[in-house]
Amino acid sequence: MFCDENNILEGLEYEVNCASTVFQSLKFDRVNILAIGSGACIRNLYFQGLEIDKLSCLSLLEVTKMNMTFGNHLSSVEERIKYLSKEGDLDIIILYVSCLDILAGTDYEAMIENLNKVLDTRVILFKRGPLNKRRMLPKDRYREIEEEILSY
């Protein structure tokens, strides 16, 4: 069941499920989550990673007002992905984006397509937040991510 805009509790439960869902992917070796967004949006991921003892598999990149104003946050994300790919000895990087980028209309799909052509590491996009179009339940999106991980 998808979240009803009029049901705040259901929406909060959906957000918790989204974050918890993406952490399930860390059961696989050589997977890292790169979460980007405002500090307020990504801080909860830190605590969830701490709770399950997976901080070593979590990278946080705060997008500041200045980054958004000057439009340089996309290049910062690309640099971080390249760094993780090179230094992290990873097979998969899950790029976890939040409302800030959804609202700004950041084109991660094109960047990821280009990176997947040149990197040995596969990059998978995971969008979350109340502004994201909820086309499927978090558990269904996780199944898609899991299939991508297993097929790589």
Side-chain angles (χ1 to χ4, degrees):
M1 179 161 102
F2 293 100
C3 296
D4 182 339
E5 294 173 358
N6 298 320
N7 188 335
I8 294 172
L9 291 177
E10 187 177 313
L12 290 173
E13 180 182 352
Y14 182 88
E15 291 307 311
V16 169
N17 286 339
C18 283
S20 300
T21 297
V22 78
F23 274 103
Q24 291 178 38
S25 62
L26 297 180
K27 69 182 178 185
F28 298 100
D29 292 332
R30 299 167 47 111
V31 173
N32 188 288
I33 297 170
L34 171 56
I36 60 170
S38 68
C41 288
I42 61 175
R43 72 182 292 276
N44 187 47
L45 292 172
Y46 171 83
F47 294 113
Q48 286 185 320
L50 182 65
E51 186 177 311
I52 63 171
D53 196 28
K54 290 289 188 176
L55 286 180
S56 62
C57 302
L58 176 65
S59 301
L60 303 175
L61 181 61
E62 181 180 12
V63 177
T64 65
K65 289 185 266 185
M66 294 300 282
N67 294 131
M68 288 302 288
T69 302
F70 291 112
N72 63 358
H73 74 291
L74 194 57
S75 61
S76 299
V77 172
E78 188 171 354
E79 288 173 20
R80 179 69 64 94
I81 289 171
K82 288 177 180 177
Y83 173 81
L84 289 171
S85 175
K86 181 180 175 189
E87 302 297 324
D89 192 31
L90 301 170
D91 290 330
I92 304 286
I93 297 172
I94 298 173
L95 182 60
Y96 184 102
V97 301
S98 61
C99 294
L100 186 61
D101 285 296
I102 294 167
L103 185 61
T106 307
D107 186 9
Y108 285 108
E109 288 83 357
M111 181 192 70
I112 288 171
E113 185 178 330
N114 291 332
L115 286 171
N116 282 336
K117 290 176 185 175
V118 297
L119 297 177
D120 292 331
T121 305
R122 176 125 176 99
V123 182
I124 300 171
L125 183 62
F126 184 83
K127 293 181 180 179
R128 54 121 342 241
L131 296 177
N132 185 34
K133 295 178 183 172
R134 296 186 180 123
R135 296 185 177 126
M136 64 180 65
L137 292 171
K139 65 181 179 179
D140 296 331
R141 176 62 182 128
Y142 172 70
R143 276 191 220 118
E144 282 186 352
I145 290 173
E146 189 174 64
E147 287 173 13
E148 284 188 64
I149 291 170
L150 292 172
S151 71
Y152 187 71

